[in-house]
Amino acid sequence: MTKILIMGATSAIAQATARIFAAQGASLYLIARDPQKLADVAADLKIRGAKNVFSRTLNARELDQYRQVVEDAATQLAGLDAALVAHGTLSDQQACEQSIDRLVDEFTTNALSVMALCTELANYFSAQKHGTIAAISSVAGDRGRKSNYVYASSKAAINCFLSGMGQRLSKSGVKVVVVKPGFVISPMTAAFKKSALWATPTAIAPVVAQAMIRGTPVVYVPWFWRPIMLIIRAIPERLFRRLSF
Amino acid sequence: MTLKLSWGNRPRQAQRVTTLTSRHEGIPTESSLLPFGNGRSYGDVCLNEHGVLLATRNLDHFINFDPKIGVLECEAGILLSEITKHTLPHGWFLPVTPGTAFITLGGAIANDIHGKNHHRAGCFGAHVLSFELHRSNGEWFCCSPSEHADLFTATIGGLGLTGLITTASIQLRQVQGPWLTGSSHRFANLQGFFDLSSVADESNEYTVAWVDCCAAGRRLGRGVFMLANHTHGDGSITARTPLRLPFTPPISLINRYSVKLFNEVYYRRRSAEKSVARWHYQEFFYPLDRLLEWNKVYGPAGFFQYQCVIPEQDAARHLKEMLGRVAATSSASFLAVLKKLGSIRSVGLLSFARPGITLAMDFPNHGSRTLALLDSLDAITREAGGAVYPAKDARMSSESFQQYYPAWREFSGFIDPNFSSSFWRRVTENIKK
Ligand SMILES: Cc1cc2nc3c(=O)[nH]c(=O)nc-3n(C[C@H](O)[C@H](O)[C@H](O)COP(=O)(O)OP(=O)(O)OC[C@H]3O[C@@H](n4cnc5c(N)ncnc54)[C@H](O)[C@@H]3O)c2cc1C
Ligand SMILES: NC(=O)c1ccc[n+]([C@@H]2O[C@H](COP(=O)([O-])OP(=O)(O)OC[C@H]3O[C@@H](n4cnc5c(N)ncnc54)[C@H](OP(=O)(O)O)[C@@H]3O)[C@@H](O)[C@H]2O)c1
């Protein structure tokens, strides 16, 4: 895996994963919205061993840019092997309950933009008959809860979307990887109280990188979220409605 | 408020933690701030009870590295272990390194740390070319020996009190690879250490001695002296996978019997006497990093470290008295280190390292018994005109501190008005418990 596009490259999880690929000498095409943070990350990854680093500022909501972005990445890197889509926002649930604009914004950032970029990537990779598309979803997407169902359903949307896309691409040698982190200590979750269930980006990054290399369809990080979510998904809806977690 | 601990697992103090995420964001405007690196200081220099700790570990980006001249610029929250991982393949190593690689660049500057090459290289601060210092009023300064030189010297060894270091530029040291070669020698008593040190320091870059604090009488101060120099040779430069102590044992595993046994074995083992030894740099510099969180072996009560420096003149007499006192108590120390510090002047106003012999010892926390022992050691250090290292301290009195660091008043003028630490309040507010 030597030529990789990373969307949301300033994300803590994306950076930790990118450092692993950098240390292996990969060439990277980084996309993020904040030019200063992006420049910091680019310089860092270069010193950490990346062969070439290109960067591009983009707000994820600029859906009409993705075709050109993928083309540019493939031109700059002289090819493309894999992509990691990591951007996201932890939606303010209550604000979304009061404002349709907020709701649409959140869905645009967390779901539509991911679908748009992955669509362009799918077309590019299926034409060249190889490639890996990885997107960071969340365990939250496995079941809607009252505290965060806007965020959760945007992640559920990409899970379903990528599952279908993975099926579509399986014959053309393109791998689609859905990464489902549990609680991860990052700027997104800075305000949360932490417990033993929380993992660091550095701890989960090797698993994410490994899943990309192997083309694992769905990976829970850390692994223990898989049985936890299995149980949570198994709760009958009638009972689930009365629970309050 | 959360409990945040330093390496000695004591004091146990509640404070708020604010995680910094970008060096461009400036620092919060709340009151009583203190930067927190990786918490490898043993006591309370990195704690700020009831205040706010600015967690710096996410400021871990490399900014610039010139492999031709070995100048590295990076953010202050990066670990020294990360630095070597990326610069060693280009033939560059840390100019000064402590006994663990798990400390941040900011922490290395703020305690103006020293290493086994102090007699050659001085302290870490001597290799800092410049850094960026952010103050709570929104100002920031680029400090170097020629720019804002007063803030430069106050911040090196400045215990995090002069502001937040966001980035720093350091001069690395050229090496031929990850290997060191040298030798290892038993010495039968304290005089043996002085004899070896006076010869070895002249022709070797790294020298250090482990000393058996349980030995008394004729054997007082016996130990193992190690000397080493960088050498060429290929081999893996990647990190070994460390082990981790999985839980805190309910009581300290370190007691009189386990320490006596360990020390006897360590002194007698065959490899203690080796005319030619070869070490991987991690094995030589960071033997304890193999066991992550080894500090837990001391149990929930935690432990103290005592590190002092005694001026060379009369050092033998004072150190004999100290070691005698330690050997006579049951508060045995198993990690005891002796090293001669050289005459290169430390840059920092409050730097610990000064010419003399430094002795460092760990003690399980047995409450007032341990505190009384450490106070009696302080009496010796004071009489000798030495000093105790704040990075390792959780208990020295304000009187002692003010005698060891007469520049503390001058230093106070450089403190950021919104910054403070548990340590600083303890040693300057003259409160007697
Ligand atoms: C096993 C072991 C061996 C050691 N060996 C040695 C040795 O050989 N020589 C030696 O000198 N020391 C040694 N030490 C002590 C250690 O090197 C110092 O305590 C070091 O400062 C710890 O760095 P840290 O990043 O963990 O910082 P912390 O302990 O978290 O903080 C240390 C100080 O630095 C300040 N600080 C941290 N980051 C910043 C920043 N960005 N800007 C401004 N101030 C900041 C803090 O406020 C605090 O005052 C050893 C410690 C251990 C655990
Ligand atoms: N942390 C967790 O507990 C957790 C759990 C499950 C899943 N996840 C998912 O993991 C992914 C990475 O999150 P993280 O934990 O690494 O948090 P993070 O560091 O806060 O990363 C979020 C990233 O998304 C970017 N972003 C947000 N909106 C954007 C927009 N409109 N355009 C472009 N970029 C935008 C942010 O850019 P800026 O840097 O410019 O703000 C930031 O880089 C996200 O998809 C998140 O949903 C996280």
Side-chain angles (χ1 to χ4, degrees):
Chain A
M1 204 158 279
T2 57
K3 296 168 182 177
I4 309 172
L5 173 154
I6 301 179
M7 172 66 193
T10 53
S11 119
I13 298 174
Q15 285 191 59
T17 312
R19 286 176 179 184
I20 294 174
F21 290 122
Q24 295 169 0
S27 291
L28 306 169
Y29 186 91
L30 310 176
I31 311 165
R33 62 176 165 183
D34 180 327
Q36 193 150 47
K37 279 199 229 169
L38 180 59
D40 291 350
V41 174
D44 178 64
L45 291 170
K46 188 87 183 54
I47 296 172
R48 286 176 190 270
K51 190 163 164 220
N52 293 302
V53 180
F54 303 94
S55 31
R56 161 80 178 252
T57 36
L58 181 75
N59 189 309
R61 296 198 200 138
E62 298 173 55
L63 304 182
D64 56 347
Q65 296 293 307
Y66 287 123
R67 172 161 304 174
Q68 197 273 327
V69 164
V70 173
E71 275 169 14
D72 187 48
T75 312
Q76 302 272 13
L77 297 172
L80 194 61
D81 302 317
L84 173 64
V85 184
H87 69 279
T89 51
L90 194 59
S91 319
D92 180 337
Q93 174 65 28
Q94 272 149 19
C96 291
E97 287 167 16
Q98 302 306 321
S99 156
I100 303 301
D101 285 347
R102 286 291 289 269
L103 178 64
V104 171
D105 274 358
E106 289 303 326
F107 253 75
T108 310
T109 309
N110 285 334
L112 274 180
S113 66
V114 179
M115 297 173 183
L117 173 54
C118 290
T119 298
E120 298 296 354
L121 288 165
N123 296 341
Y124 178 87
F125 285 146
S126 66
Q128 74 173 20
K129 297 227 171 310
H130 86 271
T132 300
I133 302 172
I136 306 192
S137 175
S138 169
V139 294
D142 280 11
R143 193 131 198 199
R145 295 184 295 127
K146 67 176 176 187
S147 59
N148 70 351
Y149 64 83
V150 171
Y151 175 74
S153 56
S154 65
K155 294 296 192 186
I158 65 170
N159 291 350
C160 185
F161 185 90
L162 293 172
S163 166
M165 179 181 271
Q167 211 176 29
R168 167 190 151 204
L169 298 174
S170 73
K171 293 247 156 47
S172 53
V174 180
K175 309 255 170 54
V176 178
V177 177
V178 178
V179 180
K180 295 185 179 178
F183 298 141
V184 182
I185 301 167
S186 78
M188 181 179 275
T189 53
F192 287 67
K193 235 185 139 66
K194 309 293 191 291
S195 69
L197 287 178
W198 288 76
T200 59
T202 349
I204 66 166
V207 188
V208 176
Q210 186 70 261
M212 287 177 68
I213 291 163
R214 291 197 186 142
T216 317
V218 178
V219 60
Y220 285 80
V221 279
W223 62 271
F224 58 75
W225 285 97
R226 186 182 286 273
I228 293 178
M229 296 320 294
L230 195 69
I231 293 165
I232 291 178
R233 272 198 319 246
I235 302 172
E237 188 68 16
R238 192 178 287 280
L239 172 63
F240 192 77
R241 292 286 169 90
R242 284 185 271 130
L243 298 177
S244 59
F245 65 88
Chain B
M1 292 274 163
T2 49
L3 179 71
K4 192 85 184 173
L5 293 170
S6 62
W7 196 241
N9 280 326
R10 57 165 323 288
R12 305 177 75 83
Q13 298 181 339
Q15 41 224 310
R16 253 178 323 125
V17 179
T18 296
T19 304
L20 303 174
T21 57
S22 162
R23 71 171 188 271
H24 308 291
E25 265 163 18
I27 48 184
T29 48
E30 297 145 290
S31 199
S32 195
L33 305 169
L34 184 74
F36 185 87
N38 207 33
R40 253 47 177 193
S41 297
Y42 285 69
D44 53 2
V45 286
C46 58
L47 300 179
N48 191 13
E49 193 172 21
H50 306 312
V52 177
L53 291 180
L54 303 174
T56 60
R57 277 289 287 114
N58 285 347
L59 308 184
D60 66 347
H61 297 98
F62 286 98
I63 299 170
N64 226 318
F65 174 50
D66 185 341
K68 283 199 281 301
I69 53 172
V71 172
L72 174 74
E73 187 187 0
C74 50
E75 290 179 346
I78 201 163
L79 296 180
L80 299 189
S81 57
E82 284 284 294
I83 292 180
T84 26
K85 191 164 102 194
H86 294 283
T87 60
L88 199 52
H90 299 276
W92 295 96
F93 191 65
L94 297 163
V96 166
T97 180
T100 172
F102 301 139
I103 74 160
T104 63
L105 178 58
I109 297 172
N111 271 323
D112 197 12
I113 58 150
H114 57 273
K116 299 174 175 61
N117 60 352
H118 185 271
H119 59 286
R120 284 278 179 90
C123 287
F124 197 85
H127 309 273
V128 175
L129 303 172
S130 65
F131 53 76
E132 211 170 89
L133 185 72
H134 286 242
R135 306 268 288 185
S136 62
N137 61 3
E139 285 184 316
W140 63 272
F141 303 96
C142 183
C143 305
S144 72
S146 56
E147 246 182 304
H148 302 290
D150 50 352
L151 259 182
F152 184 76
T153 52
T155 301
I156 291 177
L159 310 176
L161 297 165
T162 61
L164 174 77
I165 303 165
T166 53
T167 69
S169 180
I170 58 172
Q171 175 63 58
L172 299 168
R173 179 210 187 287
Q174 198 148 31
V175 295
Q176 296 145 301
W179 300 99
L180 292 117
T181 175
S183 55
S184 176
H185 312 269
R186 282 194 200 99
F187 51 91
N189 53 38
L190 196 58
Q191 190 51 47
F193 164 78
F194 282 100
D195 296 343
L196 280 165
S197 180
S198 63
V199 179
D201 286 7
E202 272 180 24
S203 44
N204 296 283
E205 175 154 5
Y206 300 101
T207 62
V208 70
W210 165 84
V211 52
D212 179 356
C213 289
C214 299
R218 270 188 306 125
R219 297 193 193 137
L220 186 82
R222 72 171 180 179
V224 179
F225 193 97
M226 278 181 293
L227 55 89
N229 298 285
H230 290 284
T231 184
H232 55 82
D234 303 328
S236 151
I237 49 160
T238 53
R240 302 156 303 186
T241 333
L243 310 167
R244 181 189 297 272
L245 200 67
F247 58 90
T248 305
I251 54 161
S252 171
L253 301 178
I254 308 297
N255 55 50
R256 195 182 344 176
Y257 308 103
S258 63
V259 170
K260 231 185 167 117
L261 181 69
F262 171 89
N263 285 8
E264 193 64 36
V265 172
Y266 194 82
Y267 183 77
R268 299 263 167 229
R269 88 210 131 94
R270 284 238 327 258
S271 54
E273 188 69 50
K274 243 184 169 171
S275 53
V276 185
R278 191 177 159 85
W279 293 279
H280 188 264
Y281 79 98
Q282 291 176 334
E283 207 185 327
F284 182 77
F285 292 114
Y286 319 121
L288 289 168
D289 286 356
R290 273 310 287 280
L291 186 60
L292 296 176
E293 300 177 17
W294 59 262
N295 54 340
K296 286 186 189 160
V297 300
Y298 287 95
F303 67 111
F304 291 96
Q305 171 147 131
Y306 187 83
Q307 181 172 0
C308 60
V309 54
I310 304 290
E312 210 173 344
Q313 188 195 7
D314 266 356
R317 178 167 64 88
H318 293 299
L319 289 170
K320 248 187 207 147
E321 200 181 334
M322 273 192 187
L323 289 169
R325 218 165 265 195
V326 172
T329 64
S330 53
S331 289
S333 161
F334 89 118
L335 294 166
V337 171
L338 263 181
K339 148 114 199 116
K340 186 166 150 186
L341 299 181
S343 56
I344 299 176
R345 229 183 116 83
S346 302
V347 178
L349 216 48
L350 284 193
S351 293
F352 159 72
R354 55 200 80 184
I357 311 293
T358 183
L359 171 64
M361 299 175 283
D362 286 354
F363 300 98
N365 173 21
H366 296 309
S368 54
R369 190 149 53 97
T370 314
L371 289 171
L373 170 69
L374 299 180
D375 281 345
S376 77
L377 300 182
D378 253 355
I380 302 172
T381 305
R382 282 166 70 166
E383 192 205 319
V388 166
Y389 193 6
K392 310 283 182 80
D393 179 71
R395 37 65 50 196
M396 76 169 112
S397 69
S398 51
E399 292 82 359
S400 294
F401 174 76
Q402 292 171 19
Q403 182 189 322
Y404 300 149
Y405 297 89
W408 75 275
R409 270 185 207 286
E410 184 191 349
F411 171 79
S412 311
F414 294 100
I415 296 180
D416 185 308
N418 258 353
F419 278 49
S420 183
S421 70
S422 296
F423 174 83
W424 192 251
R425 291 188 292 274
R426 178 164 64 78
V427 299
T428 59
E429 288 177 2
N430 288 307
I431 302 166
K432 274 242 142 77
K433 288 236 175 72

